[in-house]
Amino acid sequence: MSRLARPTNGRMIGGVCAALARRFGTSATTMRVIFLVSCLLPGPQFLLYIALWILLPSEGKTQTAW
């Protein structure tokens, strides 16, 4: 599994679905469909998306640990 960071290429809105797709080894389209379907269920999906958008670093800004 790769490190969780929002990619600079392939973003639609914030790159959160693309980052999660890369992390879990699926396509970004599949992850976006899963997110849209989950929005039909009650819960804080939009708040979680916004929080991940803020908390996940952009791919170009990640620092590698020694």
Side-chain angles (χ1 to χ4, degrees):
M1 287 188 187
S2 64
R3 184 173 177 169
L4 195 56
R6 295 180 297 119
T8 54
N9 296 330
R11 290 182 178 184
M12 287 288 268
I13 297 176
V16 174
C17 289
L20 292 173
R22 184 183 292 173
R23 172 80 167 132
F24 294 112
T26 186
S27 72
T29 303
T30 302
M31 194 58 69
R32 290 176 186 125
V33 169
I34 290 171
F35 174 73
L36 289 175
V37 169
S38 76
C39 289
L40 299 174
L41 302 171
Q45 290 85 348
F46 290 111
L47 294 176
L48 181 62
Y49 188 92
I50 292 170
L52 287 174
W53 191 352
I54 293 168
L55 295 174
L56 289 180
S58 186
E59 193 173 49
K61 296 180 182 178
T62 57
Q63 297 176 356
T64 56
W66 291 62

Tab-separated table of all heavy atoms in Angstrom:
chain	number	residue	atom	x	y	z
A	1	MET	N	0.839	-1.181	0.000
A	1	MET	CA	0.000	0.000	0.000
A	1	MET	C	0.882	1.242	0.000
A	1	MET	O	1.902	1.280	0.668
A	1	MET	CB	-0.899	0.024	1.233
A	1	MET	CG	-2.004	-0.957	1.206
A	1	MET	SD	-3.101	-0.652	2.585
A	1	MET	CE	-4.152	-2.040	2.445
A	2	SER	N	0.452	2.243	-0.726
A	2	SER	CA	1.233	3.464	-0.819
A	2	SER	C	0.834	4.439	0.287
A	2	SER	O	-0.158	4.262	0.974
A	2	SER	CB	1.026	4.109	-2.185
A	2	SER	OG	-0.321	4.497	-2.321
A	3	ARG	N	1.642	5.467	0.429
A	3	ARG	CA	1.385	6.485	1.429
A	3	ARG	C	0.142	7.284	1.049
A	3	ARG	O	-0.120	7.523	-0.117
A	3	ARG	CB	2.590	7.400	1.527
A	3	ARG	CG	2.449	8.412	2.604
A	3	ARG	CD	3.709	9.172	2.784
A	3	ARG	NE	3.446	10.173	3.800
A	3	ARG	CZ	4.351	10.886	4.379
A	3	ARG	NH1	5.597	10.725	4.029
A	3	ARG	NH2	4.032	11.766	5.287
A	4	LEU	N	-0.607	7.720	2.031
A	4	LEU	CA	-1.852	8.440	1.785
A	4	LEU	C	-1.554	9.925	1.579
A	4	LEU	O	-1.241	10.650	2.518
A	4	LEU	CB	-2.805	8.246	2.962
A	4	LEU	CG	-4.254	8.621	2.758
A	4	LEU	CD1	-4.837	7.877	1.575
A	4	LEU	CD2	-5.062	8.287	3.986
A	5	ALA	N	-1.612	10.358	0.323
A	5	ALA	CA	-1.398	11.756	-0.052
A	5	ALA	C	-2.235	12.045	-1.285
A	5	ALA	O	-2.429	11.182	-2.135
A	5	ALA	CB	0.068	12.016	-0.345
A	6	ARG	N	-2.757	13.269	-1.373
A	6	ARG	CA	-3.587	13.646	-2.516
A	6	ARG	C	-2.701	13.843	-3.737
A	6	ARG	O	-1.767	14.622	-3.713
A	6	ARG	CB	-4.344	14.943	-2.214
A	6	ARG	CG	-5.343	14.771	-1.094
A	6	ARG	CD	-6.113	16.038	-0.770
A	6	ARG	NE	-5.225	17.097	-0.304
A	6	ARG	CZ	-5.076	18.271	-0.916
A	6	ARG	NH1	-5.744	18.560	-1.998
A	6	ARG	NH2	-4.255	19.179	-0.423
A	7	PRO	N	-2.964	13.101	-4.820
A	7	PRO	CA	-2.114	13.208	-6.009
A	7	PRO	C	-2.292	14.543	-6.712
A	7	PRO	O	-3.339	15.184	-6.613
A	7	PRO	CB	-2.590	12.057	-6.894
A	7	PRO	CG	-3.987	11.816	-6.469
A	7	PRO	CD	-4.044	12.141	-5.006
A	8	THR	N	-1.262	14.956	-7.423
A	8	THR	CA	-1.353	16.211	-8.172
A	8	THR	C	-2.069	16.009	-9.501
A	8	THR	O	-2.648	16.945	-10.027
A	8	THR	CB	0.051	16.788	-8.428
A	8	THR	OG1	0.857	15.791	-9.065
A	8	THR	CG2	0.710	17.207	-7.135
A	9	ASN	N	-2.059	14.797	-10.034
A	9	ASN	CA	-2.752	14.479	-11.289
A	9	ASN	C	-3.936	13.574	-10.995
A	9	ASN	O	-3.877	12.719	-10.123
A	9	ASN	CB	-1.817	13.767	-12.263
A	9	ASN	CG	-0.675	14.657	-12.684
A	9	ASN	OD1	-0.810	15.870	-12.748
A	9	ASN	ND2	0.471	14.053	-12.942
A	10	GLY	N	-5.021	13.749	-11.729
A	10	GLY	CA	-6.183	12.875	-11.572
A	10	GLY	C	-7.176	13.355	-10.541
A	10	GLY	O	-8.074	12.611	-10.166
A	11	ARG	N	-7.045	14.577	-10.080
A	11	ARG	CA	-7.994	15.111	-9.111
A	11	ARG	C	-9.273	15.525	-9.805
A	11	ARG	O	-9.256	15.981	-10.942
A	11	ARG	CB	-7.427	16.369	-8.443
A	11	ARG	CG	-6.286	16.135	-7.524
A	11	ARG	CD	-5.881	17.448	-6.919
A	11	ARG	NE	-4.793	17.269	-5.966
A	11	ARG	CZ	-4.310	18.241	-5.236
A	11	ARG	NH1	-4.785	19.465	-5.350
A	11	ARG	NH2	-3.338	17.999	-4.392
A	12	MET	N	-10.394	15.372	-9.114
A	12	MET	CA	-11.660	15.910	-9.611
A	12	MET	C	-12.005	17.157	-8.813
A	12	MET	O	-12.197	18.216	-9.377
A	12	MET	CB	-12.783	14.882	-9.477
A	12	MET	CG	-12.699	13.746	-10.453
A	12	MET	SD	-13.085	14.227	-12.103
A	12	MET	CE	-14.809	13.900	-12.159
A	13	ILE	N	-12.067	17.037	-7.511
A	13	ILE	CA	-12.353	18.197	-6.655
A	13	ILE	C	-11.138	18.453	-5.768
A	13	ILE	O	-10.447	19.435	-5.939
A	13	ILE	CB	-13.623	17.974	-5.819
A	13	ILE	CG1	-14.827	17.838	-6.742
A	13	ILE	CG2	-13.828	19.118	-4.839
A	13	ILE	CD1	-16.120	17.531	-6.053
A	14	GLY	N	-10.895	17.569	-4.831
A	14	GLY	CA	-9.779	17.780	-3.924
A	14	GLY	C	-8.730	16.690	-3.973
A	14	GLY	O	-7.682	16.800	-3.362
A	15	GLY	N	-9.018	15.617	-4.671
A	15	GLY	CA	-8.078	14.517	-4.765
A	15	GLY	C	-8.208	13.489	-3.662
A	15	GLY	O	-7.393	12.579	-3.562
A	16	VAL	N	-9.226	13.618	-2.833
A	16	VAL	CA	-9.397	12.687	-1.710
A	16	VAL	C	-9.739	11.289	-2.214
A	16	VAL	O	-9.132	10.300	-1.783
A	16	VAL	CB	-10.478	13.202	-0.732
A	16	VAL	CG1	-10.758	12.187	0.356
A	16	VAL	CG2	-10.045	14.528	-0.129
A	17	CYS	N	-10.678	11.179	-3.133
A	17	CYS	CA	-11.049	9.859	-3.670
A	17	CYS	C	-9.892	9.235	-4.434
A	17	CYS	O	-9.673	8.029	-4.352
A	17	CYS	CB	-12.283	9.963	-4.555
A	17	CYS	SG	-13.805	10.283	-3.637
A	18	ALA	N	-9.133	10.044	-5.153
A	18	ALA	CA	-7.974	9.528	-5.879
A	18	ALA	C	-6.911	9.023	-4.910
A	18	ALA	O	-6.276	7.995	-5.148
A	18	ALA	CB	-7.398	10.600	-6.788
A	19	ALA	N	-6.723	9.722	-3.802
A	19	ALA	CA	-5.751	9.290	-2.795
A	19	ALA	C	-6.182	7.984	-2.138
A	19	ALA	O	-5.368	7.072	-1.953
A	19	ALA	CB	-5.575	10.374	-1.738
A	20	LEU	N	-7.455	7.888	-1.793
A	20	LEU	CA	-7.963	6.660	-1.179
A	20	LEU	C	-7.906	5.494	-2.156
A	20	LEU	O	-7.592	4.366	-1.766
A	20	LEU	CB	-9.394	6.870	-0.675
A	20	LEU	CG	-9.541	7.825	0.512
A	20	LEU	CD1	-11.009	8.082	0.792
A	20	LEU	CD2	-8.841	7.271	1.733
A	21	ALA	N	-8.199	5.754	-3.430
A	21	ALA	CA	-8.140	4.701	-4.439
A	21	ALA	C	-6.719	4.187	-4.603
A	21	ALA	O	-6.488	2.978	-4.686
A	21	ALA	CB	-8.669	5.221	-5.766
A	22	ARG	N	-5.774	5.083	-4.639
A	22	ARG	CA	-4.370	4.680	-4.762
A	22	ARG	C	-3.926	3.884	-3.533
A	22	ARG	O	-3.229	2.899	-3.640
A	22	ARG	CB	-3.489	5.914	-4.923
A	22	ARG	CG	-2.036	5.554	-5.143
A	22	ARG	CD	-1.165	6.761	-5.233
A	22	ARG	NE	-1.467	7.519	-6.456
A	22	ARG	CZ	-0.946	8.688	-6.734
A	22	ARG	NH1	-0.132	9.258	-5.888
A	22	ARG	NH2	-1.250	9.298	-7.849
A	23	ARG	N	-4.378	4.303	-2.367
A	23	ARG	CA	-4.001	3.636	-1.115
A	23	ARG	C	-4.539	2.206	-1.059
A	23	ARG	O	-3.857	1.297	-0.621
A	23	ARG	CB	-4.524	4.444	0.059
A	23	ARG	CG	-4.385	3.800	1.404
A	23	ARG	CD	-2.994	3.951	1.930
A	23	ARG	NE	-2.984	3.596	3.332
A	23	ARG	CZ	-2.096	2.781	3.854
A	23	ARG	NH1	-1.135	2.307	3.124
A	23	ARG	NH2	-2.142	2.479	5.115
A	24	PHE	N	-5.782	2.005	-1.503
A	24	PHE	CA	-6.416	0.698	-1.398
A	24	PHE	C	-6.356	-0.110	-2.687
A	24	PHE	O	-6.948	-1.187	-2.781
A	24	PHE	CB	-7.861	0.848	-0.926
A	24	PHE	CG	-7.951	1.377	0.480
A	24	PHE	CD1	-8.453	2.640	0.729
A	24	PHE	CD2	-7.503	0.630	1.551
A	24	PHE	CE1	-8.530	3.138	2.014
A	24	PHE	CE2	-7.568	1.104	2.845
A	24	PHE	CZ	-8.077	2.371	3.077
A	25	GLY	N	-5.665	0.399	-3.709
A	25	GLY	CA	-5.431	-0.370	-4.918
A	25	GLY	C	-6.643	-0.538	-5.820
A	25	GLY	O	-6.796	-1.571	-6.459
A	26	THR	N	-7.481	0.461	-5.894
A	26	THR	CA	-8.640	0.424	-6.771
A	26	THR	C	-8.601	1.647	-7.684
A	26	THR	O	-7.725	2.492	-7.547
A	26	THR	CB	-9.953	0.376	-5.950
A	26	THR	OG1	-11.045	0.209	-6.829
A	26	THR	CG2	-10.140	1.597	-5.111
A	27	SER	N	-9.547	1.751	-8.596
A	27	SER	CA	-9.549	2.908	-9.489
A	27	SER	C	-10.230	4.097	-8.803
A	27	SER	O	-11.066	3.933	-7.912
A	27	SER	CB	-10.270	2.580	-10.792
A	27	SER	OG	-11.654	2.485	-10.580
A	28	ALA	N	-9.862	5.280	-9.253
A	28	ALA	CA	-10.449	6.490	-8.681
A	28	ALA	C	-11.942	6.569	-8.993
A	28	ALA	O	-12.734	7.023	-8.163
A	28	ALA	CB	-9.734	7.723	-9.211
A	29	THR	N	-12.335	6.085	-10.152
A	29	THR	CA	-13.754	6.089	-10.516
A	29	THR	C	-14.562	5.214	-9.568
A	29	THR	O	-15.649	5.603	-9.131
A	29	THR	CB	-13.926	5.599	-11.968
A	29	THR	OG1	-13.135	6.433	-12.828
A	29	THR	CG2	-15.377	5.656	-12.392
A	30	THR	N	-14.034	4.058	-9.234
A	30	THR	CA	-14.717	3.170	-8.287
A	30	THR	C	-14.870	3.840	-6.932
A	30	THR	O	-15.940	3.790	-6.320
A	30	THR	CB	-13.931	1.854	-8.134
A	30	THR	OG1	-13.798	1.248	-9.411
A	30	THR	CG2	-14.622	0.910	-7.176
A	31	MET	N	-13.831	4.495	-6.470
A	31	MET	CA	-13.886	5.164	-5.173
A	31	MET	C	-14.879	6.324	-5.200
A	31	MET	O	-15.588	6.546	-4.220
A	31	MET	CB	-12.496	5.671	-4.788
A	31	MET	CG	-12.377	6.073	-3.343
A	31	MET	SD	-12.761	4.781	-2.155
A	31	MET	CE	-11.399	3.676	-2.380
A	32	ARG	N	-14.962	7.031	-6.307
A	32	ARG	CA	-15.921	8.127	-6.423
A	32	ARG	C	-17.357	7.609	-6.409
A	32	ARG	O	-18.238	8.208	-5.795
A	32	ARG	CB	-15.655	8.924	-7.699
A	32	ARG	CG	-14.378	9.719	-7.620
A	32	ARG	CD	-14.073	10.438	-8.915
A	32	ARG	NE	-12.771	11.071	-8.819
A	32	ARG	CZ	-11.773	10.877	-9.665
A	32	ARG	NH1	-11.936	10.093	-10.710
A	32	ARG	NH2	-10.620	11.481	-9.484
A	33	VAL	N	-17.590	6.489	-7.083
A	33	VAL	CA	-18.932	5.888	-7.082
A	33	VAL	C	-19.293	5.424	-5.676
A	33	VAL	O	-20.421	5.638	-5.214
A	33	VAL	CB	-19.016	4.731	-8.104
A	33	VAL	CG1	-20.287	3.925	-7.930
A	33	VAL	CG2	-18.901	5.269	-9.517
A	34	ILE	N	-18.359	4.822	-4.986
A	34	ILE	CA	-18.608	4.389	-3.603
A	34	ILE	C	-18.960	5.583	-2.731
A	34	ILE	O	-19.878	5.528	-1.907
A	34	ILE	CB	-17.384	3.627	-3.049
A	34	ILE	CG1	-17.251	2.278	-3.747
A	34	ILE	CG2	-17.478	3.446	-1.541
A	34	ILE	CD1	-15.958	1.547	-3.443
A	35	PHE	N	-18.228	6.689	-2.903
A	35	PHE	CA	-18.525	7.883	-2.117
A	35	PHE	C	-19.916	8.424	-2.435
A	35	PHE	O	-20.677	8.774	-1.526
A	35	PHE	CB	-17.477	8.971	-2.361
A	35	PHE	CG	-17.812	10.268	-1.687
A	35	PHE	CD1	-17.700	10.398	-0.316
A	35	PHE	CD2	-18.265	11.347	-2.422
A	35	PHE	CE1	-18.032	11.584	0.312
A	35	PHE	CE2	-18.595	12.535	-1.807
A	35	PHE	CZ	-18.472	12.656	-0.429
A	36	LEU	N	-20.269	8.491	-3.721
A	36	LEU	CA	-21.588	9.007	-4.094
A	36	LEU	C	-22.711	8.129	-3.563
A	36	LEU	O	-23.737	8.632	-3.099
A	36	LEU	CB	-21.692	9.150	-5.607
A	36	LEU	CG	-20.863	10.276	-6.209
A	36	LEU	CD1	-20.960	10.236	-7.734
A	36	LEU	CD2	-21.325	11.622	-5.682
A	37	VAL	N	-22.525	6.820	-3.615
A	37	VAL	CA	-23.545	5.903	-3.082
A	37	VAL	C	-23.633	6.052	-1.566
A	37	VAL	O	-24.717	6.030	-0.987
A	37	VAL	CB	-23.235	4.444	-3.493
A	37	VAL	CG1	-24.114	3.457	-2.752
A	37	VAL	CG2	-23.409	4.289	-4.996
A	38	SER	N	-22.498	6.262	-0.902
A	38	SER	CA	-22.519	6.416	0.552
A	38	SER	C	-23.235	7.696	0.971
A	38	SER	O	-23.725	7.786	2.094
A	38	SER	CB	-21.102	6.405	1.120
A	38	SER	OG	-20.445	7.631	0.872
A	39	CYS	N	-23.308	8.670	0.082
A	39	CYS	CA	-24.012	9.913	0.400
A	39	CYS	C	-25.523	9.695	0.518
A	39	CYS	O	-26.223	10.536	1.082
A	39	CYS	CB	-23.714	10.979	-0.650
A	39	CYS	SG	-22.037	11.596	-0.535
A	40	LEU	N	-26.015	8.590	-0.003
A	40	LEU	CA	-27.430	8.261	0.140
A	40	LEU	C	-27.748	7.764	1.543
A	40	LEU	O	-28.911	7.768	1.956
A	40	LEU	CB	-27.842	7.212	-0.888
A	40	LEU	CG	-27.672	7.624	-2.357
A	40	LEU	CD1	-27.968	6.434	-3.258
A	40	LEU	CD2	-28.552	8.807	-2.689
A	41	LEU	N	-26.738	7.335	2.275
A	41	LEU	CA	-26.915	6.852	3.635
A	41	LEU	C	-26.763	8.018	4.612
A	41	LEU	O	-26.057	8.985	4.326
A	41	LEU	CB	-25.867	5.784	3.953
A	41	LEU	CG	-25.862	4.564	3.035
A	41	LEU	CD1	-24.647	3.700	3.330
A	41	LEU	CD2	-27.139	3.775	3.206
A	42	PRO	N	-27.400	7.919	5.776
A	42	PRO	CA	-27.219	8.993	6.762
A	42	PRO	C	-25.805	8.939	7.337
A	42	PRO	O	-25.228	7.869	7.514
A	42	PRO	CB	-28.269	8.674	7.832
A	42	PRO	CG	-28.583	7.239	7.661
A	42	PRO	CD	-28.338	6.905	6.220
A	43	GLY	N	-25.249	10.099	7.587
A	43	GLY	CA	-23.917	10.158	8.165
A	43	GLY	C	-23.159	11.392	7.708
A	43	GLY	O	-23.629	12.162	6.864
A	44	PRO	N	-21.982	11.573	8.241
A	44	PRO	CA	-21.191	12.785	7.968
A	44	PRO	C	-20.220	12.632	6.802
A	44	PRO	O	-19.054	13.005	6.899
A	44	PRO	CB	-20.440	12.972	9.283
A	44	PRO	CG	-20.184	11.570	9.745
A	44	PRO	CD	-21.433	10.798	9.351
A	45	GLN	N	-20.665	12.102	5.671
A	45	GLN	CA	-19.762	11.852	4.556
A	45	GLN	C	-19.117	13.131	4.036
A	45	GLN	O	-17.917	13.160	3.768
A	45	GLN	CB	-20.489	11.146	3.400
A	45	GLN	CG	-20.871	9.734	3.689
A	45	GLN	CD	-22.196	9.620	4.420
A	45	GLN	OE1	-22.747	10.594	4.903
A	45	GLN	NE2	-22.703	8.415	4.521
A	46	PHE	N	-19.893	14.185	3.880
A	46	PHE	CA	-19.338	15.428	3.342
A	46	PHE	C	-18.345	16.050	4.320
A	46	PHE	O	-17.319	16.582	3.912
A	46	PHE	CB	-20.448	16.429	3.002
A	46	PHE	CG	-21.266	16.016	1.810
A	46	PHE	CD1	-22.581	15.629	1.948
A	46	PHE	CD2	-20.709	16.005	0.543
A	46	PHE	CE1	-23.333	15.243	0.857
A	46	PHE	CE2	-21.444	15.614	-0.563
A	46	PHE	CZ	-22.764	15.227	-0.406
A	47	LEU	N	-18.650	15.970	5.603
A	47	LEU	CA	-17.719	16.505	6.601
A	47	LEU	C	-16.422	15.707	6.619
A	47	LEU	O	-15.332	16.273	6.756
A	47	LEU	CB	-18.368	16.502	7.990
A	47	LEU	CG	-19.563	17.434	8.157
A	47	LEU	CD1	-20.172	17.267	9.538
A	47	LEU	CD2	-19.163	18.869	7.912
A	48	LEU	N	-16.526	14.398	6.466
A	48	LEU	CA	-15.336	13.551	6.411
A	48	LEU	C	-14.510	13.864	5.173
A	48	LEU	O	-13.282	13.961	5.240
A	48	LEU	CB	-15.745	12.076	6.423
A	48	LEU	CG	-14.609	11.063	6.395
A	48	LEU	CD1	-13.733	11.218	7.626
A	48	LEU	CD2	-15.160	9.665	6.317
A	49	TYR	N	-15.159	14.087	4.041
A	49	TYR	CA	-14.446	14.439	2.808
A	49	TYR	C	-13.695	15.762	2.984
A	49	TYR	O	-12.527	15.877	2.623
A	49	TYR	CB	-15.423	14.539	1.633
A	49	TYR	CG	-14.732	14.713	0.307
A	49	TYR	CD1	-14.401	13.614	-0.460
A	49	TYR	CD2	-14.383	15.981	-0.171
A	49	TYR	CE1	-13.758	13.762	-1.685
A	49	TYR	CE2	-13.742	16.139	-1.389
A	49	TYR	CZ	-13.434	15.021	-2.132
A	49	TYR	OH	-12.783	15.174	-3.330
A	50	ILE	N	-14.362	16.744	3.551
A	50	ILE	CA	-13.724	18.044	3.760
A	50	ILE	C	-12.574	17.930	4.743
A	50	ILE	O	-11.508	18.532	4.554
A	50	ILE	CB	-14.773	19.080	4.222
A	50	ILE	CG1	-15.734	19.368	3.074
A	50	ILE	CG2	-14.110	20.363	4.701
A	50	ILE	CD1	-16.949	20.181	3.464
A	51	ALA	N	-12.755	17.141	5.811
A	51	ALA	CA	-11.674	16.953	6.787
A	51	ALA	C	-10.468	16.274	6.144
A	51	ALA	O	-9.319	16.677	6.384
A	51	ALA	CB	-12.183	16.129	7.971
A	52	LEU	N	-10.704	15.268	5.318
A	52	LEU	CA	-9.592	14.607	4.634
A	52	LEU	C	-8.924	15.536	3.632
A	52	LEU	O	-7.706	15.507	3.455
A	52	LEU	CB	-10.081	13.331	3.938
A	52	LEU	CG	-10.396	12.162	4.854
A	52	LEU	CD1	-11.015	11.028	4.063
A	52	LEU	CD2	-9.156	11.692	5.569
A	53	TRP	N	-9.708	16.387	2.993
A	53	TRP	CA	-9.158	17.353	2.042
A	53	TRP	C	-8.190	18.299	2.755
A	53	TRP	O	-7.137	18.647	2.252
A	53	TRP	CB	-10.296	18.126	1.416
A	53	TRP	CG	-9.951	18.973	0.226
A	53	TRP	CD1	-8.709	19.250	-0.278
A	53	TRP	CD2	-10.867	19.655	-0.613
A	53	TRP	NE1	-8.813	20.064	-1.381
A	53	TRP	CE2	-10.129	20.333	-1.604
A	53	TRP	CE3	-12.243	19.772	-0.625
A	53	TRP	CZ2	-10.729	21.103	-2.585
A	53	TRP	CZ3	-12.826	20.542	-1.605
A	53	TRP	CH2	-12.082	21.188	-2.570
A	54	ILE	N	-8.557	18.680	3.970
A	54	ILE	CA	-7.711	19.588	4.750
A	54	ILE	C	-6.514	18.861	5.352
A	54	ILE	O	-5.388	19.376	5.342
A	54	ILE	CB	-8.552	20.259	5.859
A	54	ILE	CG1	-9.588	21.200	5.226
A	54	ILE	CG2	-7.671	21.010	6.847
A	54	ILE	CD1	-10.642	21.691	6.183
A	55	LEU	N	-6.725	17.651	5.860
A	55	LEU	CA	-5.682	16.948	6.606
A	55	LEU	C	-4.671	16.208	5.739
A	55	LEU	O	-3.507	16.090	6.123
A	55	LEU	CB	-6.318	15.963	7.590
A	55	LEU	CG	-7.135	16.605	8.703
A	55	LEU	CD1	-7.832	15.533	9.522
A	55	LEU	CD2	-6.269	17.485	9.580
A	56	LEU	N	-5.099	15.698	4.587
A	56	LEU	CA	-4.173	14.957	3.740
A	56	LEU	C	-3.240	15.919	3.008
A	56	LEU	O	-3.703	16.880	2.390
A	56	LEU	CB	-4.932	14.121	2.705
A	56	LEU	CG	-5.685	12.913	3.218
A	56	LEU	CD1	-6.381	12.211	2.066
A	56	LEU	CD2	-4.770	11.964	3.928
A	57	PRO	N	-1.961	15.660	3.060
A	57	PRO	CA	-1.038	16.547	2.338
A	57	PRO	C	-1.124	16.305	0.839
A	57	PRO	O	-1.468	15.220	0.389
A	57	PRO	CB	0.336	16.138	2.876
A	57	PRO	CG	0.157	14.718	3.286
A	57	PRO	CD	-1.261	14.598	3.771
A	58	SER	N	-0.812	17.324	0.086
A	58	SER	CA	-0.727	17.175	-1.353
A	58	SER	C	0.539	16.400	-1.684
A	58	SER	O	1.528	16.467	-0.947
A	58	SER	CB	-0.707	18.547	-2.017
A	58	SER	OG	-0.759	18.422	-3.398
A	59	GLU	N	0.527	15.668	-2.769
A	59	GLU	CA	1.639	14.781	-3.112
A	59	GLU	C	2.961	15.529	-3.235
A	59	GLU	O	4.002	15.030	-2.842
A	59	GLU	CB	1.313	14.062	-4.412
A	59	GLU	CG	2.209	12.907	-4.725
A	59	GLU	CD	1.707	12.166	-5.937
A	59	GLU	OE1	1.420	12.801	-6.963
A	59	GLU	OE2	1.569	10.935	-5.841
A	60	GLY	N	2.936	16.714	-3.751
A	60	GLY	CA	4.150	17.485	-3.917
A	60	GLY	C	4.682	18.052	-2.610
A	60	GLY	O	5.831	18.437	-2.509
A	61	LYS	N	3.855	18.086	-1.568
A	61	LYS	CA	4.235	18.691	-0.302
A	61	LYS	C	4.576	17.669	0.781
A	61	LYS	O	4.857	18.043	1.903
A	61	LYS	CB	3.104	19.579	0.205
A	61	LYS	CG	2.819	20.740	-0.701
A	61	LYS	CD	1.710	21.582	-0.151
A	61	LYS	CE	1.387	22.729	-1.090
A	61	LYS	NZ	0.276	23.534	-0.615
A	62	THR	N	4.518	16.374	0.464
A	62	THR	CA	4.816	15.364	1.473
A	62	THR	C	6.308	15.333	1.744
A	62	THR	O	7.128	15.564	0.865
A	62	THR	CB	4.361	13.958	1.028
A	62	THR	OG1	4.993	13.645	-0.197
A	62	THR	CG2	2.860	13.897	0.885
A	63	GLN	N	6.635	15.052	2.981
A	63	GLN	CA	8.036	14.946	3.375
A	63	GLN	C	8.338	13.482	3.655
A	63	GLN	O	7.549	12.793	4.281
A	63	GLN	CB	8.293	15.775	4.630
A	63	GLN	CG	8.054	17.248	4.420
A	63	GLN	CD	8.234	18.025	5.722
A	63	GLN	OE1	8.457	17.439	6.767
A	63	GLN	NE2	8.153	19.319	5.623
A	64	THR	N	9.480	13.048	3.208
A	64	THR	CA	9.842	11.658	3.454
A	64	THR	C	10.588	11.557	4.772
A	64	THR	O	11.401	12.409	5.124
A	64	THR	CB	10.752	11.122	2.332
A	64	THR	OG1	11.896	11.965	2.219
A	64	THR	CG2	9.991	11.098	1.014
A	65	ALA	N	10.256	10.545	5.534
A	65	ALA	CA	10.938	10.310	6.807
A	65	ALA	C	12.209	9.520	6.561
A	65	ALA	O	12.276	8.662	5.703
A	65	ALA	CB	10.015	9.550	7.753
A	66	TRP	N	13.237	9.822	7.273
A	66	TRP	CA	14.528	9.136	7.125
A	66	TRP	C	14.428	7.839	7.782
A	66	TRP	O	14.495	7.020	8.267
A	66	TRP	CB	15.642	9.978	7.702
A	66	TRP	CG	15.863	11.188	6.862
A	66	TRP	CD1	14.963	12.181	6.614
A	66	TRP	CD2	17.020	11.505	6.104
A	66	TRP	NE1	15.501	13.094	5.768
A	66	TRP	CE2	16.761	12.720	5.447
A	66	TRP	CE3	18.242	10.912	5.930
A	66	TRP	CZ2	17.678	13.325	4.646
A	66	TRP	CZ3	19.151	11.535	5.130
A	66	TRP	CH2	18.876	12.726	4.490
